[in-house]
Amino acid sequence: MAPELRKTRFVCLSDTHNACPADGAFELPQGDVLIHAGSLTRQGTFTELRKTLDWIEQADYEVKIVTAGNQDVTLDLDFYKEHGLYFHNQGPQLSKACINLVNQYPSITYLNHESCYVYLEREDGPQTSFKVFGSPYSPANGLRAFGYPPEHASLCWDQIDLDTDIVITHTPPKFHCDNSRHKGASGCEALRERLWRVRPSLAICGHVYEGRGVERILWDLDCPNVKFKESATGYWTDPSLGPGNKKQCHLDLSAKSPVPLNSTGSWIDASDRTNLDGPSETSNTRLPVRKSIPSLAWTSATSRSVLSISRASSNRTPTPLLDNTSPSAQIQEDVPKARNPETIRAEYDASKFEASPKANQSRVFREIAEDQGNALAYVSLEDGAHSATRGQGGFPPSGRCDLEALAGRRGRKETCVINAAIMASSRPYKSKDNKEYNKPIIVDIDLPVQQGSE
């Protein structure tokens, strides 16, 4: 039986660089969940962090999820130990004190390359649940925090669990919301490849100011010859653009919108004046669609531990967002958020599959193979031969496709990428007149209602 779904509103922003609503830089719209995708500060000082965290703490959202970015140098402990004096030679900061500060705000969940389950429990809210991954990392570029070299990219992003519903990264994926005037497409290819395998509903990022906007990816899950292939990309026309425009940046991907998420061809075959979220009042052109962007690289996966967030004590298990997969059992402490990772132990329906420890994966693959009479596929998985098929489309139980990413998970076929950079200029500090700000981006999606909620 499919879970009941209910519309949940996310308010997304990134790269505020110490700007805040009280300064008049931007206004916060109403929503259920606030997400900040990094670069909270300009220089990473304790004072800047406290200013930013104060206004986030005071914001009226049931859940507020924050990750850091390359500007937040004091939150990268090892980096600041080595390079801190380069940034703060006249006023060195205490990196550990800054990290402790982030964890002192009871309503803010800080994710440092980790996952957690989120339960919305307000009586006047949607009472939905989802799994989110948040990371401050981006490709190394100069002397900035949370940077990784190209050879470590796949290892970094393989740690996103396949059952993740919302992915928050400071960097954008390659070719999506990452175009820079000086550097072209500056996102991460390994992240794009991992998104093909995970296929979360939302991938929220920032970092590249000029890439601010929304792109909707339809993943090609059928092609056996090109790895990590995309079928099409749809682009969003921001309804709030233009001087004096007071409209909100709102994108509706819920079931009540003309083109809900995972509705396949409705937006690809869109007629004139059709936008990603339905009829547009500002566009007179056909919805632009970019066809497939192939990659021949492949990556390996690792298991991860997760946290859980709840506004009250509960023993409920997270309701699966897609494919009617069986819920994963978890341990949840009687606190607003559990800061110590707990290993997820999952149980599965033989006909369905999602990310799991290796022992459970082997059992599920075996049952799928035996049920459909393809023992060779199971043997190849046990021998590790399936690593060569990572990112390869096809139809399970064929051993020629990425079984781990596809078996029982083909209902996940779209991802909406949102670059929510608030800072509009790539050189915002050269002069006072050059500081321009974008509005937060609002997105509505359907999420499963918690088990036991009314």
Side-chain angles (χ1 to χ4, degrees), residues 99-161:
I99 294 172
N100 289 337
L101 176 68
V102 173
N103 291 306
Q104 287 176 2
Y105 289 80
S107 74
I108 298 175
T109 298
Y110 175 63
L111 294 180
N112 184 16
H113 204 70
E114 57 195 324
S115 297
C116 69
Y117 287 113
V118 176
Y119 301 90
L120 303 178
E121 298 189 338
R122 282 183 180 174
E123 291 185 0
D124 59 346
Q127 298 185 334
T128 52
S129 62
F130 58 93
K131 184 176 180 179
V132 59
F133 173 89
S135 175
Y137 288 98
S138 56
N141 180 25
L143 197 61
R144 292 296 176 186
F146 298 108
Y148 55 84
E151 61 270 22
H152 293 168
S154 293
L155 179 63
C156 177
W157 300 122
D158 278 353
Q159 296 177 60
I160 306 176
D161 292 336

Short mmCIF file of all heavy atoms in Angstrom, two decimals, residues 99-161:
data_model
loop_
_atom_site.label_atom_id
_atom_site.label_comp_id
_atom_site.label_asym_id
_atom_site.label_seq_id
_atom_site.Cartn_x
_atom_site.Cartn_y
_atom_site.Cartn_z
N ILE A 99 32.97 25.55 16.26
CA ILE A 99 32.24 24.30 16.02
C ILE A 99 31.26 24.03 17.16
O ILE A 99 30.12 23.62 16.93
CB ILE A 99 33.24 23.14 15.85
CG1 ILE A 99 34.06 23.35 14.57
CG2 ILE A 99 32.52 21.79 15.81
CD1 ILE A 99 35.20 22.37 14.40
N ASN A 100 31.69 24.28 18.38
CA ASN A 100 30.79 24.10 19.53
C ASN A 100 29.60 25.05 19.45
O ASN A 100 28.47 24.69 19.82
CB ASN A 100 31.55 24.32 20.84
CG ASN A 100 32.53 23.20 21.14
OD1 ASN A 100 32.38 22.08 20.65
ND2 ASN A 100 33.55 23.50 21.92
N LEU A 101 29.85 26.27 18.97
CA LEU A 101 28.78 27.26 18.85
C LEU A 101 27.67 26.75 17.93
O LEU A 101 26.48 26.88 18.24
CB LEU A 101 29.34 28.58 18.32
CG LEU A 101 28.32 29.70 18.06
CD1 LEU A 101 27.72 30.18 19.38
CD2 LEU A 101 28.97 30.85 17.31
N VAL A 102 28.06 26.18 16.79
CA VAL A 102 27.08 25.70 15.83
C VAL A 102 26.16 24.66 16.46
O VAL A 102 24.97 24.58 16.14
CB VAL A 102 27.78 25.10 14.59
CG1 VAL A 102 26.79 24.44 13.65
CG2 VAL A 102 28.55 26.18 13.85
N ASN A 103 26.69 23.87 17.37
CA ASN A 103 25.92 22.79 17.98
C ASN A 103 25.16 23.21 19.24
O ASN A 103 24.53 22.37 19.88
CB ASN A 103 26.86 21.63 18.31
CG ASN A 103 27.38 20.95 17.07
OD1 ASN A 103 26.61 20.52 16.21
ND2 ASN A 103 28.70 20.84 16.95
N GLN A 104 25.20 24.48 19.58
CA GLN A 104 24.54 24.95 20.79
C GLN A 104 23.12 25.47 20.54
O GLN A 104 22.41 25.77 21.50
CB GLN A 104 25.37 26.06 21.44
CG GLN A 104 26.64 25.54 22.12
CD GLN A 104 27.50 26.66 22.68
OE1 GLN A 104 27.13 27.84 22.60
NE2 GLN A 104 28.65 26.30 23.24
N TYR A 105 22.72 25.57 19.28
CA TYR A 105 21.39 26.11 18.97
C TYR A 105 20.40 24.95 18.87
O TYR A 105 20.50 24.13 17.96
CB TYR A 105 21.44 26.91 17.68
CG TYR A 105 22.19 28.22 17.81
CD1 TYR A 105 23.58 28.25 17.78
CD2 TYR A 105 21.50 29.41 17.98
CE1 TYR A 105 24.27 29.44 17.90
CE2 TYR A 105 22.17 30.62 18.10
CZ TYR A 105 23.57 30.63 18.06
OH TYR A 105 24.24 31.82 18.19
N PRO A 106 19.43 24.89 19.77
CA PRO A 106 18.57 23.70 19.85
C PRO A 106 17.69 23.47 18.62
O PRO A 106 17.34 22.34 18.32
CB PRO A 106 17.71 23.96 21.10
CG PRO A 106 17.78 25.43 21.32
CD PRO A 106 19.12 25.86 20.84
N SER A 107 17.34 24.53 17.89
CA SER A 107 16.43 24.34 16.76
C SER A 107 17.17 24.19 15.43
O SER A 107 16.54 24.04 14.39
CB SER A 107 15.44 25.51 16.67
OG SER A 107 16.07 26.67 16.17
N ILE A 108 18.51 24.25 15.46
CA ILE A 108 19.30 24.16 14.23
C ILE A 108 19.99 22.81 14.16
O ILE A 108 20.65 22.39 15.11
CB ILE A 108 20.34 25.30 14.15
CG1 ILE A 108 19.65 26.66 14.12
CG2 ILE A 108 21.23 25.12 12.93
CD1 ILE A 108 20.61 27.84 14.16
N THR A 109 19.85 22.13 13.07
CA THR A 109 20.55 20.88 12.84
C THR A 109 21.71 21.15 11.88
O THR A 109 21.49 21.55 10.73
CB THR A 109 19.61 19.82 12.22
OG1 THR A 109 18.57 19.56 13.15
CG2 THR A 109 20.37 18.53 11.94
N TYR A 110 22.91 20.96 12.37
CA TYR A 110 24.12 21.19 11.57
C TYR A 110 24.62 19.86 11.04
O TYR A 110 24.94 18.95 11.81
CB TYR A 110 25.19 21.87 12.43
CG TYR A 110 26.52 22.04 11.73
CD1 TYR A 110 26.63 22.84 10.61
CD2 TYR A 110 27.67 21.39 12.21
CE1 TYR A 110 27.85 23.02 9.98
CE2 TYR A 110 28.89 21.55 11.58
CZ TYR A 110 28.97 22.37 10.46
OH TYR A 110 30.18 22.53 9.83
N LEU A 111 24.69 19.73 9.72
CA LEU A 111 25.13 18.49 9.09
C LEU A 111 26.52 18.70 8.48
O LEU A 111 26.69 19.57 7.61
CB LEU A 111 24.14 18.06 8.01
CG LEU A 111 22.75 17.65 8.50
CD1 LEU A 111 21.87 17.24 7.32
CD2 LEU A 111 22.82 16.52 9.51
N ASN A 112 27.46 17.90 8.93
CA ASN A 112 28.84 17.98 8.46
C ASN A 112 29.18 16.69 7.72
O ASN A 112 29.77 15.77 8.27
CB ASN A 112 29.79 18.21 9.63
CG ASN A 112 31.22 18.40 9.18
OD1 ASN A 112 31.48 18.64 8.01
ND2 ASN A 112 32.15 18.29 10.12
N HIS A 113 28.72 16.58 6.49
CA HIS A 113 28.91 15.40 5.64
C HIS A 113 28.28 14.17 6.31
O HIS A 113 28.94 13.15 6.53
CB HIS A 113 30.40 15.17 5.37
CG HIS A 113 30.64 14.39 4.11
ND1 HIS A 113 30.41 14.92 2.86
CD2 HIS A 113 31.09 13.12 3.90
CE1 HIS A 113 30.71 14.00 1.95
NE2 HIS A 113 31.11 12.91 2.54
N GLU A 114 27.01 14.27 6.61
CA GLU A 114 26.29 13.21 7.32
C GLU A 114 24.80 13.28 6.99
O GLU A 114 24.31 14.24 6.40
CB GLU A 114 26.52 13.32 8.82
CG GLU A 114 26.12 14.67 9.40
CD GLU A 114 26.68 14.88 10.79
OE1 GLU A 114 26.77 13.90 11.56
OE2 GLU A 114 27.03 16.04 11.11
N SER A 115 24.10 12.22 7.41
CA SER A 115 22.68 12.09 7.13
C SER A 115 21.86 12.13 8.41
O SER A 115 22.38 11.89 9.50
CB SER A 115 22.39 10.75 6.43
OG SER A 115 23.04 10.68 5.18
N CYS A 116 20.57 12.42 8.26
CA CYS A 116 19.66 12.30 9.38
C CYS A 116 18.23 12.12 8.86
O CYS A 116 17.93 12.45 7.71
CB CYS A 116 19.73 13.51 10.31
SG CYS A 116 19.08 15.03 9.60
N TYR A 117 17.38 11.56 9.70
CA TYR A 117 15.95 11.50 9.41
C TYR A 117 15.28 12.71 10.05
O TYR A 117 15.64 13.12 11.16
CB TYR A 117 15.33 10.22 9.97
CG TYR A 117 15.68 8.98 9.21
CD1 TYR A 117 16.48 7.99 9.78
CD2 TYR A 117 15.22 8.78 7.92
CE1 TYR A 117 16.81 6.84 9.07
CE2 TYR A 117 15.54 7.63 7.22
CZ TYR A 117 16.34 6.68 7.79
OH TYR A 117 16.66 5.55 7.09
N VAL A 118 14.31 13.26 9.37
CA VAL A 118 13.59 14.43 9.86
C VAL A 118 12.11 14.09 9.97
O VAL A 118 11.53 13.50 9.05
CB VAL A 118 13.77 15.64 8.91
CG1 VAL A 118 12.94 16.82 9.39
CG2 VAL A 118 15.24 16.03 8.82
N TYR A 119 11.51 14.44 11.12
CA TYR A 119 10.08 14.22 11.36
C TYR A 119 9.44 15.56 11.69
O TYR A 119 9.85 16.23 12.64
CB TYR A 119 9.86 13.26 12.52
CG TYR A 119 10.49 11.91 12.31
CD1 TYR A 119 11.79 11.64 12.72
CD2 TYR A 119 9.77 10.89 11.69
CE1 TYR A 119 12.37 10.40 12.51
CE2 TYR A 119 10.34 9.65 11.47
CZ TYR A 119 11.64 9.41 11.88
OH TYR A 119 12.21 8.18 11.68
N LEU A 120 8.48 15.97 10.91
CA LEU A 120 7.73 17.20 11.18
C LEU A 120 6.50 16.83 11.99
O LEU A 120 5.66 16.05 11.53
CB LEU A 120 7.34 17.88 9.88
CG LEU A 120 8.51 18.24 8.96
CD1 LEU A 120 8.00 18.88 7.67
CD2 LEU A 120 9.50 19.16 9.66
N GLU A 121 6.37 17.40 13.19
CA GLU A 121 5.34 16.92 14.12
C GLU A 121 4.41 18.01 14.63
O GLU A 121 3.56 17.74 15.46
CB GLU A 121 6.01 16.21 15.30
CG GLU A 121 6.79 14.98 14.87
CD GLU A 121 7.27 14.14 16.04
OE1 GLU A 121 7.36 14.69 17.15
OE2 GLU A 121 7.54 12.95 15.83
N ARG A 122 4.55 19.23 14.14
CA ARG A 122 3.61 20.26 14.55
C ARG A 122 2.19 19.89 14.14
O ARG A 122 1.96 19.39 13.04
CB ARG A 122 3.98 21.60 13.92
CG ARG A 122 5.14 22.32 14.57
CD ARG A 122 5.36 23.67 13.90
NE ARG A 122 6.47 24.41 14.49
CZ ARG A 122 6.95 25.55 14.02
NH1 ARG A 122 6.39 26.09 12.94
NH2 ARG A 122 7.95 26.16 14.61
N GLU A 123 1.24 20.17 15.01
CA GLU A 123 -0.15 19.84 14.70
C GLU A 123 -0.67 20.62 13.50
O GLU A 123 -1.52 20.13 12.75
CB GLU A 123 -1.03 20.09 15.92
CG GLU A 123 -0.77 19.13 17.08
CD GLU A 123 -1.73 19.34 18.22
OE1 GLU A 123 -2.59 20.25 18.09
OE2 GLU A 123 -1.63 18.62 19.22
N ASP A 124 -0.16 21.84 13.31
CA ASP A 124 -0.61 22.66 12.19
C ASP A 124 0.30 22.52 10.98
O ASP A 124 0.18 23.28 10.02
CB ASP A 124 -0.69 24.14 12.60
CG ASP A 124 0.65 24.68 13.08
OD1 ASP A 124 1.57 23.86 13.35
OD2 ASP A 124 0.79 25.91 13.20
N GLY A 125 1.22 21.53 11.01
CA GLY A 125 2.13 21.32 9.90
C GLY A 125 1.78 20.09 9.09
O GLY A 125 0.77 19.42 9.36
N PRO A 126 2.60 19.73 8.12
CA PRO A 126 2.27 18.59 7.25
C PRO A 126 2.47 17.23 7.92
O PRO A 126 1.97 16.23 7.43
CB PRO A 126 3.25 18.77 6.08
CG PRO A 126 4.40 19.53 6.66
CD PRO A 126 3.80 20.44 7.68
N GLN A 127 3.26 17.17 9.00
CA GLN A 127 3.53 15.92 9.72
C GLN A 127 4.11 14.85 8.78
O GLN A 127 3.69 13.70 8.78
CB GLN A 127 2.27 15.42 10.43
CG GLN A 127 1.76 16.38 11.48
CD GLN A 127 0.59 15.85 12.27
OE1 GLN A 127 -0.17 15.01 11.78
NE2 GLN A 127 0.43 16.32 13.50
N THR A 128 5.09 15.27 7.99
CA THR A 128 5.75 14.38 7.06
C THR A 128 7.15 14.04 7.55
O THR A 128 7.62 14.57 8.56
CB THR A 128 5.82 15.03 5.67
OG1 THR A 128 6.40 16.34 5.78
CG2 THR A 128 4.45 15.14 5.05
N SER A 129 7.82 13.14 6.83
CA SER A 129 9.17 12.74 7.21
C SER A 129 10.01 12.54 5.96
O SER A 129 9.49 12.27 4.87
CB SER A 129 9.13 11.45 8.04
OG SER A 129 8.59 10.38 7.28
N PHE A 130 11.32 12.68 6.13
CA PHE A 130 12.23 12.48 5.01
C PHE A 130 13.64 12.26 5.55
O PHE A 130 13.95 12.54 6.70
CB PHE A 130 12.21 13.69 4.06
CG PHE A 130 12.57 15.01 4.70
CD1 PHE A 130 13.87 15.49 4.69
CD2 PHE A 130 11.58 15.78 5.30
CE1 PHE A 130 14.19 16.71 5.28
CE2 PHE A 130 11.89 17.01 5.90
CZ PHE A 130 13.20 17.47 5.89
N LYS A 131 14.50 11.75 4.68
CA LYS A 131 15.91 11.55 5.01
C LYS A 131 16.74 12.56 4.23
O LYS A 131 16.56 12.73 3.02
CB LYS A 131 16.36 10.13 4.67
CG LYS A 131 17.81 9.84 5.08
CD LYS A 131 18.17 8.38 4.81
CE LYS A 131 19.62 8.08 5.23
NZ LYS A 131 19.96 6.66 4.98
N VAL A 132 17.66 13.24 4.93
CA VAL A 132 18.44 14.30 4.31
C VAL A 132 19.93 14.05 4.55
O VAL A 132 20.33 13.55 5.59
CB VAL A 132 18.01 15.68 4.87
CG1 VAL A 132 18.20 15.74 6.38
CG2 VAL A 132 18.78 16.82 4.18
N PHE A 133 20.73 14.41 3.56
CA PHE A 133 22.18 14.38 3.67
C PHE A 133 22.69 15.80 3.46
O PHE A 133 22.25 16.49 2.54
CB PHE A 133 22.79 13.45 2.61
CG PHE A 133 24.30 13.49 2.54
CD1 PHE A 133 25.07 12.65 3.34
CD2 PHE A 133 24.95 14.37 1.69
CE1 PHE A 133 26.46 12.68 3.27
CE2 PHE A 133 26.33 14.42 1.61
CZ PHE A 133 27.09 13.57 2.41
N GLY A 134 23.64 16.23 4.31
CA GLY A 134 24.20 17.57 4.17
C GLY A 134 25.71 17.55 4.22
O GLY A 134 26.31 16.85 5.05
N SER A 135 26.35 18.32 3.34
CA SER A 135 27.81 18.33 3.28
C SER A 135 28.33 19.72 2.90
O SER A 135 27.77 20.38 2.02
CB SER A 135 28.31 17.31 2.25
OG SER A 135 29.72 17.40 2.11
N PRO A 136 29.43 20.15 3.55
CA PRO A 136 30.02 21.45 3.24
C PRO A 136 31.05 21.41 2.12
O PRO A 136 31.60 22.45 1.74
CB PRO A 136 30.71 21.82 4.56
CG PRO A 136 31.17 20.50 5.10
CD PRO A 136 30.09 19.51 4.70
N TYR A 137 31.34 20.26 1.56
CA TYR A 137 32.49 20.11 0.66
C TYR A 137 32.22 20.62 -0.75
O TYR A 137 31.09 20.61 -1.24
CB TYR A 137 32.93 18.64 0.62
CG TYR A 137 33.61 18.22 1.90
CD1 TYR A 137 32.90 17.54 2.88
CD2 TYR A 137 34.94 18.53 2.14
CE1 TYR A 137 33.51 17.16 4.07
CE2 TYR A 137 35.55 18.17 3.32
CZ TYR A 137 34.83 17.48 4.29
OH TYR A 137 35.43 17.12 5.46
N SER A 138 33.31 21.05 -1.39
CA SER A 138 33.28 21.49 -2.79
C SER A 138 34.67 21.25 -3.38
O SER A 138 35.65 21.09 -2.65
CB SER A 138 32.91 22.98 -2.89
OG SER A 138 33.79 23.78 -2.12
N PRO A 139 34.79 21.18 -4.70
CA PRO A 139 36.10 20.95 -5.31
C PRO A 139 37.11 22.01 -4.88
O PRO A 139 36.78 23.21 -4.83
CB PRO A 139 35.81 21.04 -6.81
CG PRO A 139 34.37 20.67 -6.94
CD PRO A 139 33.71 21.22 -5.71
N ALA A 140 38.32 21.58 -4.55
CA ALA A 140 39.35 22.50 -4.07
C ALA A 140 39.63 23.56 -5.13
O ALA A 140 39.81 23.27 -6.31
CB ALA A 140 40.61 21.72 -3.74
N ASN A 141 39.65 24.82 -4.66
CA ASN A 141 39.92 25.94 -5.56
C ASN A 141 40.56 27.05 -4.76
O ASN A 141 39.88 27.85 -4.12
CB ASN A 141 38.62 26.42 -6.22
CG ASN A 141 38.86 27.59 -7.16
OD1 ASN A 141 39.95 27.76 -7.69
ND2 ASN A 141 37.83 28.39 -7.38
N GLY A 142 41.88 27.07 -4.74
CA GLY A 142 42.58 28.05 -3.93
C GLY A 142 42.58 27.65 -2.47
O GLY A 142 42.29 26.51 -2.10
N LEU A 143 42.85 28.62 -1.62
CA LEU A 143 42.96 28.37 -0.19
C LEU A 143 41.60 28.60 0.47
O LEU A 143 41.32 29.66 1.04
CB LEU A 143 44.02 29.29 0.42
CG LEU A 143 44.56 28.88 1.81
CD1 LEU A 143 45.22 27.52 1.75
CD2 LEU A 143 45.54 29.93 2.32
N ARG A 144 40.73 27.58 0.39
CA ARG A 144 39.40 27.66 0.98
C ARG A 144 39.10 26.38 1.73
O ARG A 144 39.65 25.32 1.45
CB ARG A 144 38.35 27.90 -0.11
CG ARG A 144 38.45 29.27 -0.77
CD ARG A 144 38.19 30.40 0.21
NE ARG A 144 38.39 31.71 -0.39
CZ ARG A 144 38.33 32.85 0.28
NH1 ARG A 144 38.09 32.82 1.59
NH2 ARG A 144 38.52 34.00 -0.31
N ALA A 145 38.18 26.51 2.68
CA ALA A 145 37.85 25.37 3.55
C ALA A 145 37.04 24.32 2.81
O ALA A 145 36.43 24.58 1.77
CB ALA A 145 37.06 25.86 4.76
N PHE A 146 37.05 23.11 3.36
CA PHE A 146 36.22 21.99 2.89
C PHE A 146 36.43 21.70 1.41
O PHE A 146 35.48 21.40 0.68
CB PHE A 146 34.74 22.26 3.17
CG PHE A 146 34.41 22.41 4.63
CD1 PHE A 146 34.09 23.65 5.15
CD2 PHE A 146 34.42 21.31 5.48
CE1 PHE A 146 33.77 23.81 6.50
CE2 PHE A 146 34.09 21.45 6.83
CZ PHE A 146 33.78 22.70 7.34
N GLY A 147 37.67 21.78 0.96
CA GLY A 147 37.97 21.47 -0.44
C GLY A 147 38.53 20.07 -0.59
O GLY A 147 39.22 19.57 0.29
N TYR A 148 38.23 19.43 -1.70
CA TYR A 148 38.78 18.10 -1.97
C TYR A 148 39.39 18.08 -3.37
O TYR A 148 38.89 18.73 -4.29
CB TYR A 148 37.69 17.02 -1.85
CG TYR A 148 36.48 17.23 -2.70
CD1 TYR A 148 36.45 16.82 -4.04
CD2 TYR A 148 35.34 17.84 -2.19
CE1 TYR A 148 35.34 17.01 -4.83
CE2 TYR A 148 34.21 18.04 -2.98
CZ TYR A 148 34.22 17.63 -4.29
OH TYR A 148 33.12 17.84 -5.08
N PRO A 149 40.47 17.32 -3.55
CA PRO A 149 41.09 17.21 -4.88
C PRO A 149 40.25 16.31 -5.78
O PRO A 149 39.44 15.51 -5.29
CB PRO A 149 42.45 16.58 -4.58
CG PRO A 149 42.23 15.79 -3.33
CD PRO A 149 41.21 16.57 -2.53
N PRO A 150 40.44 16.38 -7.08
CA PRO A 150 39.61 15.58 -8.01
C PRO A 150 39.65 14.09 -7.73
O PRO A 150 38.64 13.39 -7.87
CB PRO A 150 40.20 15.92 -9.38
CG PRO A 150 40.85 17.25 -9.21
CD PRO A 150 41.35 17.28 -7.80
N GLU A 151 40.81 13.57 -7.31
CA GLU A 151 40.94 12.14 -7.09
C GLU A 151 40.16 11.64 -5.88
O GLU A 151 39.97 10.44 -5.70
CB GLU A 151 42.41 11.74 -6.96
CG GLU A 151 43.15 12.37 -5.80
CD GLU A 151 43.82 13.69 -6.14
OE1 GLU A 151 43.39 14.33 -7.14
OE2 GLU A 151 44.76 14.08 -5.42
N HIS A 152 39.68 12.55 -5.03
CA HIS A 152 38.91 12.16 -3.85
C HIS A 152 37.41 12.40 -4.02
O HIS A 152 36.64 12.12 -3.11
CB HIS A 152 39.39 12.93 -2.62
CG HIS A 152 40.78 12.58 -2.19
ND1 HIS A 152 41.49 13.32 -1.26
CD2 HIS A 152 41.59 11.56 -2.56
CE1 HIS A 152 42.68 12.78 -1.09
NE2 HIS A 152 42.76 11.72 -1.87
N ALA A 153 37.01 12.91 -5.17
CA ALA A 153 35.61 13.31 -5.35
C ALA A 153 34.65 12.13 -5.23
O ALA A 153 33.63 12.21 -4.54
CB ALA A 153 35.44 14.01 -6.69
N SER A 154 34.96 11.02 -5.90
CA SER A 154 34.04 9.88 -5.86
C SER A 154 33.93 9.32 -4.45
O SER A 154 32.83 8.99 -3.99
CB SER A 154 34.52 8.79 -6.82
OG SER A 154 34.41 9.24 -8.16
N LEU A 155 35.04 9.22 -3.76
CA LEU A 155 35.02 8.73 -2.38
C LEU A 155 34.16 9.62 -1.50
O LEU A 155 33.43 9.15 -0.63
CB LEU A 155 36.44 8.64 -1.83
CG LEU A 155 36.60 8.17 -0.39
CD1 LEU A 155 36.09 6.74 -0.24
CD2 LEU A 155 38.05 8.27 0.06
N CYS A 156 34.25 10.91 -1.73
CA CYS A 156 33.46 11.87 -0.94
C CYS A 156 31.97 11.66 -1.13
O CYS A 156 31.22 11.50 -0.17
CB CYS A 156 33.86 13.29 -1.36
SG CYS A 156 32.93 14.61 -0.54
N TRP A 157 31.51 11.60 -2.37
CA TRP A 157 30.06 11.58 -2.63
C TRP A 157 29.46 10.19 -2.61
O TRP A 157 28.23 10.05 -2.54
CB TRP A 157 29.77 12.29 -3.94
CG TRP A 157 30.23 13.70 -3.92
CD1 TRP A 157 31.12 14.30 -4.76
CD2 TRP A 157 29.87 14.71 -2.95
NE1 TRP A 157 31.34 15.61 -4.39
CE2 TRP A 157 30.58 15.88 -3.29
CE3 TRP A 157 29.02 14.74 -1.85
CZ2 TRP A 157 30.46 17.07 -2.57
CZ3 TRP A 157 28.90 15.91 -1.12
CH2 TRP A 157 29.62 17.06 -1.47
N ASP A 158 30.30 9.15 -2.62
CA ASP A 158 29.76 7.80 -2.46
C ASP A 158 29.14 7.60 -1.08
O ASP A 158 28.43 6.62 -0.85
CB ASP A 158 30.88 6.76 -2.64
CG ASP A 158 31.13 6.47 -4.11
OD1 ASP A 158 30.36 6.96 -4.95
OD2 ASP A 158 32.09 5.76 -4.42
N GLN A 159 29.37 8.52 -0.17
CA GLN A 159 28.85 8.39 1.19
C GLN A 159 27.42 8.90 1.32
O GLN A 159 26.87 8.91 2.43
CB GLN A 159 29.79 9.10 2.15
CG GLN A 159 31.17 8.46 2.18
CD GLN A 159 32.15 9.20 3.07
OE1 GLN A 159 31.94 9.34 4.26
NE2 GLN A 159 33.23 9.67 2.49
N ILE A 160 26.81 9.32 0.23
CA ILE A 160 25.39 9.66 0.25
C ILE A 160 24.59 8.37 0.09
O ILE A 160 24.71 7.67 -0.91
CB ILE A 160 25.02 10.63 -0.89
CG1 ILE A 160 25.91 11.88 -0.84
CG2 ILE A 160 23.54 11.03 -0.78
CD1 ILE A 160 25.67 12.84 -1.99
N ASP A 161 23.78 8.04 1.08
CA ASP A 161 22.99 6.81 1.03
C ASP A 161 21.99 6.85 -0.13
O ASP A 161 21.44 7.90 -0.45
CB ASP A 161 22.23 6.62 2.34
CG ASP A 161 23.15 6.31 3.51
OD1 ASP A 161 24.27 5.82 3.25
OD2 ASP A 161 22.75 6.59 4.67
#
